[in-house]
Amino acid sequence: MAPNVLLHGVGAIGAIYLHLLLKAGCRVTAVCRSNYDAVKANGFTIDSVLYNTKDVHVKATDVVRSPSEAAAHGPFDFLVVTTKALPDAKTAAAIAPAVTDGKTCIVLIQNGVGIEDEYVARFPGNPLLSCAVYLPSTQISPGRIQMGNQELLEFGTFPDTAYDDSAAVKAAADSWLEITKKGGSNCVFQPNIQVQRWKKLMLNASWNPICALTLSRDVAFYLATDVAEHVVLEVMLEIVHVAQALGFSEITPEMTEKQIGNARKRIPGPGIEPSMLVDVLNGRRMEVEAIVGHPVREAKRLGVSVPRLETLYALAKALDDAIAFRKPGQSLSGDYKRV
Amino acid sequence: MAPNVLLHGVGAIGAIYLHLLLKAGCRVTAVCRSNYDAVKANGFTIDSVLYNTKDVHVKATDVVRSPSEAAAHGPFDFLVVTTKALPDAKTAAAIAPAVTDGKTCIVLIQNGVGIEDEYVARFPGNPLLSCAVYLPSTQISPGRIQMGNQELLEFGTFPDTAYDDSAAVKAAADSWLEITKKGGSNCVFQPNIQVQRWKKLMLNASWNPICALTLSRDVAFYLATDVAEHVVLEVMLEIVHVAQALGFSEITPEMTEKQIGNARKRIPGPGIEPSMLVDVLNGRRMEVEAIVGHPVREAKRLGVSVPRLETLYALAKALDDAIAFRKPGQSLSGDYKRV
């Protein structure tokens, strides 16, 4: 029988996997929130540089407003989370009505580190897959998606050892690989997915808060001072040091050079807008804890010095608060009303 | 004869000294820029917590638009600069038409460090006084000033040794002390004014960029994370280390505790808005180089490690660029148009 999939929080990233999972023959229910009305009426419309396609219409098998509403379309083989990893979201609790204990495999397509714990605590008997995704994609208006030139989905089990320790987890992981590849995804099984997450964090924990705090694209930050490159490199190195203290010896200082080189190559173009910059420019919450806060806490636990990352964390969280607590039309500095 | 004074760039700070210098019996010409029309017509109106006064009207002897226009009212005994210390302003060149070589004493009432060099280079034969001012004051509309509960004007000669080495400089400094005190200023001669500037920098180089980058008052930043206090303390300590490397042994690590204590005491009130936060909320340029950039360059020259200050510098300068280069109505991230 065709796998029955629930996509929770279908925005830019979710829409691409909706497209691929439908192509793989899955039955897919989409939980849409801010874009519900548009998607319910017209589905998604996707332009893709990678696939060289325009105006591709994509309609989920069912479109619902919440996991509770989705439950009628279950039981689900996979429940794929593509929302932002925000602590206040309490996503594990939110999806519970659509999770069949011991059966539904939960797939997290989210940035950051330390994001799996709430799912393990809530669903100890369910297979859990953790993914690092490289997929530049934007929802320019409700249901309208522009996808860039890359789609790479690295995934593994949580914890890593579960693949070998549990036949049910192994079966779920193998099935996820099979259906995503069948749909055309560049999906790769990673026995050490946490290493991949920390590798991606080198990029995310540096450029994301830096661009959000400066309201600048990466190239603009790079060109503003003669110390910018050194600052970015040092932040990346701090992530390397924490990763190595965690035992991830595959993550090396040399990797930072390649990452900074990618930014250098974008000069003198416009550069890129990391997700946190897009969030702050749109007055939305940023994934500060998953991307910056968790590594800072890990560094403290492990006794690793991360002065720059800690500074970025304190700054980014305060900016996130300023956005969250301001009144509409009020200066962001008016946030003292919250005390 | 009454001293003839030119005030260059009369905003919130300048208006208070205009008031005090007039009370001292000086003839005062005011160079007003954005507030010219209002001040020319109505003068300044000052409310003061310190003086417990409301609606005090203050009219300069003459109001002009530029130092060139001011020249007709010269020669000047004192030329007081109360503009922001921005590198692009080229203030030394701008005031030249109103400076009488070898006579006019130039008084800098500005934040930051390293600000005196352009004046020494341009006017090597003129007395130069450098001031650290503690005067919470805001121009809430053109010509309308709200002053807080403090006015402290610490000043010295530049260089410090000029007071003893030059009879003309000593005479100018003594005269400045006399007239400001006569006007009611809490003015104090400091033989080592650079020490006072670096002491003030402990406060300015930390809270100014931190609040500007987070769009938050000090209290909001303090409450946003449990690492905030540590971050602020460490930034202040980096300033202490640079100051000590410069030979300013009067500036000690213990001083940082008192400074952070002042912020702690403001909880749970609204906290304060440092000038850079006010600037960024109003889309104006910030004094990044004088307050953060110069100490970072001094640290590099002296081999002092300042990772957090360097990070704040790179961030604040990029934010300042984002503000400067954006098009009206355009997202701040649209700054790539400048390349």
Side-chain angles (χ1 to χ4, degrees):
Chain A
M1 216 176 83
N4 193 18
V5 181
L6 179 64
L7 287 180
H8 178 65
V10 187
I13 300 287
I16 305 305
Y17 290 106
L18 169 63
H19 181 40
L20 301 182
L21 290 166
L22 289 170
K23 280 173 64 180
C26 297
R27 197 180 181 291
V28 190
T29 303
V31 176
C32 290
R33 297 180 301 178
S34 60
N35 56 1
Y36 175 84
D37 290 335
V39 172
K40 182 81 178 177
N42 308 311
F44 288 95
T45 307
I46 302 175
D47 295 343
S48 170
V49 176
L50 180 67
Y51 305 137
N52 195 24
T53 53
K54 269 194 92 69
D55 290 334
V56 172
H57 289 279
V58 177
K59 279 202 117 145
T61 316
D62 295 290
V63 181
V64 298
R65 287 184 193 271
S66 69
S68 304
E69 198 184 324
H73 304 288
F76 297 103
D77 301 298
F78 294 95
L79 193 162
V80 185
V81 176
T82 54
T83 55
K84 282 200 282 187
L86 299 175
D88 296 347
K90 303 197 191 316
T91 304
I95 62 171
V99 175
T100 306
D101 275 346
K103 173 182 163 62
T104 306
C105 173
I106 298 164
V107 184
L108 305 178
I109 303 185
Q110 296 184 300
N111 273 324
V113 289
I115 60 161
E116 298 90 354
D117 297 342
E118 61 174 308
Y119 300 92
V120 173
R122 182 90 191 198
F123 311 108
N126 289 58
L128 181 59
L129 304 181
S130 182
C131 310
V133 66
Y134 295 81
L135 200 171
S137 192
T138 316
Q139 185 169 222
I140 55 168
S141 60
R144 179 95 217 175
I145 312 292
Q146 289 192 335
M147 178 188 173
N149 60 358
Q150 187 185 21
E151 187 273 327
L152 169 62
L153 187 68
E154 300 181 313
F155 83 102
T157 63
F158 190 88
D160 288 350
T161 50
Y163 187 84
D164 293 323
D165 293 349
S166 159
V169 172
K170 181 179 187 303
D174 290 349
S175 170
W176 175 252
L177 183 63
E178 189 192 330
I179 63 169
T180 50
K181 287 189 85 75
K182 189 172 168 194
S185 169
N186 183 20
C187 186
V188 179
F189 174 69
Q190 291 282 5
N192 303 305
I193 185 63
Q194 293 304 316
V195 174
Q196 305 307 320
R197 282 196 165 273
W198 279 84
K199 195 175 149 193
K200 192 178 179 200
L201 205 62
M202 218 188 294
L203 201 66
N204 271 339
S206 53
W207 283 117
N208 255 309
I210 284 172
C211 291
L213 288 160
T214 59
L215 308 176
S216 303
R217 290 161 182 256
D218 58 346
V219 166
F221 175 77
Y222 196 100
L223 294 176
T225 57
D226 55 7
V227 300
E229 176 171 314
H230 178 67
V231 167
V232 179
L233 268 175
E234 291 290 321
V235 176
M236 289 179 178
L237 275 174
E238 290 181 2
I239 290 289
V240 172
H241 296 153
V242 183
Q244 293 197 331
L246 284 165
F248 302 152
S249 55
E250 304 91 328
I251 299 180
T252 64
E254 290 69 36
M255 287 178 174
T256 61
E257 269 302 329
K258 183 174 169 253
Q259 296 290 4
I260 198 81
N262 288 341
R264 219 185 282 126
K265 273 183 231 152
R266 286 191 278 270
I267 300 169
I272 55 163
E273 287 186 321
S275 62
M276 275 193 201
L277 172 58
V278 177
D279 287 339
V280 73
L281 292 173
N282 288 288
R284 292 192 301 244
R285 304 303 297 269
M286 303 184 282
E287 296 173 292
V288 180
E289 295 300 342
I291 291 178
V292 200
H294 189 81
V296 166
R297 286 186 287 274
E298 287 291 87
K300 188 169 185 186
R301 185 175 68 80
L302 296 159
V304 178
S305 170
V306 291
R308 294 173 192 271
L309 198 63
E310 189 184 53
T311 303
L312 289 179
Y313 170 54
L315 294 171
K317 186 70 186 75
L319 176 60
D320 186 54
D321 275 9
I323 291 168
F325 290 106
R326 74 172 170 186
K327 300 265 195 309
Q330 190 182 43
S331 139
L332 281 171
S333 178
D335 55 358
Y336 66 84
K337 293 280 194 302
R338 72 195 170 94
V339 294
Chain B
M1 217 177 82
N4 193 18
V5 181
L6 179 65
L7 287 180
H8 178 65
V10 187
I13 300 288
I16 305 305
Y17 290 106
L18 169 63
H19 181 42
L20 301 183
L21 290 166
L22 289 169
K23 280 172 64 180
C26 297
R27 198 181 180 291
V28 189
T29 303
V31 177
C32 291
R33 297 181 300 179
S34 61
N35 55 2
Y36 175 84
D37 290 335
V39 173
K40 183 81 179 177
N42 308 311
F44 287 95
T45 306
I46 301 175
D47 295 343
S48 170
V49 175
L50 181 67
Y51 305 137
N52 194 25
T53 53
K54 269 193 92 68
D55 290 333
V56 172
H57 289 279
V58 176
K59 280 202 117 147
T61 317
D62 294 290
V63 181
V64 297
R65 288 183 192 270
S66 68
S68 304
E69 197 182 326
H73 305 288
F76 296 103
D77 301 297
F78 293 95
L79 193 162
V80 185
V81 177
T82 53
T83 55
K84 281 199 283 186
L86 298 174
D88 296 347
K90 302 196 190 318
T91 304
I95 62 171
V99 175
T100 305
D101 276 345
K103 174 184 162 62
T104 306
C105 174
I106 298 165
V107 184
L108 305 179
I109 304 186
Q110 296 184 299
N111 274 323
V113 289
I115 61 161
E116 298 90 355
D117 297 342
E118 62 174 308
Y119 301 92
V120 173
R122 182 91 191 199
F123 311 109
N126 288 59
L128 181 59
L129 304 181
S130 182
C131 309
V133 67
Y134 295 81
L135 201 172
S137 192
T138 317
Q139 186 168 221
I140 55 168
S141 60
R144 179 94 217 176
I145 311 291
Q146 289 190 334
M147 177 188 174
N149 60 357
Q150 188 185 20
E151 186 273 328
L152 169 62
L153 187 68
E154 300 181 314
F155 84 102
T157 63
F158 190 89
D160 288 349
T161 51
Y163 187 84
D164 293 323
D165 293 349
S166 159
V169 172
K170 180 179 188 304
D174 291 348
S175 170
W176 176 251
L177 182 64
E178 189 191 331
I179 62 167
T180 50
K181 287 188 84 76
K182 188 173 169 193
S185 170
N186 183 21
C187 186
V188 180
F189 175 69
Q190 292 281 5
N192 303 305
I193 185 63
Q194 293 304 315
V195 174
Q196 304 307 321
R197 282 196 166 274
W198 279 84
K199 195 175 149 192
K200 192 177 178 199
L201 205 62
M202 217 187 296
L203 203 65
N204 271 338
S206 53
W207 283 117
N208 255 309
I210 284 173
C211 291
L213 288 160
T214 60
L215 308 176
S216 303
R217 289 161 183 256
D218 59 345
V219 166
F221 175 77
Y222 195 100
L223 295 176
T225 57
D226 55 8
V227 301
E229 176 171 314
H230 178 67
V231 167
V232 178
L233 269 174
E234 290 290 323
V235 175
M236 290 179 177
L237 276 174
E238 289 181 3
I239 290 289
V240 171
H241 296 152
V242 183
Q244 293 196 331
L246 283 165
F248 302 151
S249 55
E250 304 92 328
I251 298 180
T252 63
E254 290 68 37
M255 287 178 173
T256 61
E257 269 301 329
K258 182 174 169 252
Q259 295 291 2
I260 198 81
N262 289 340
R264 218 184 283 127
K265 273 183 232 154
R266 285 191 279 269
I267 300 170
I272 56 162
E273 287 186 321
S275 63
M276 275 193 201
L277 172 58
V278 177
D279 288 338
V280 73
L281 291 174
N282 287 288
R284 292 192 302 244
R285 303 303 298 268
M286 302 184 283
E287 294 174 292
V288 179
E289 294 301 341
I291 291 177
V292 199
H294 189 81
V296 166
R297 285 185 287 274
E298 287 292 87
K300 187 170 186 186
R301 186 175 66 80
L302 296 159
V304 178
S305 170
V306 291
R308 293 173 192 272
L309 198 63
E310 189 184 54
T311 303
L312 288 179
Y313 170 52
L315 294 171
K317 186 71 185 78
L319 176 60
D320 185 55
D321 275 9
I323 291 167
F325 289 106
R326 72 169 172 189
K327 301 263 195 309
Q330 190 182 43
S331 140
L332 281 170
S333 178
D335 55 358
Y336 66 84
K337 294 282 195 300
R338 71 198 171 94
V339 295

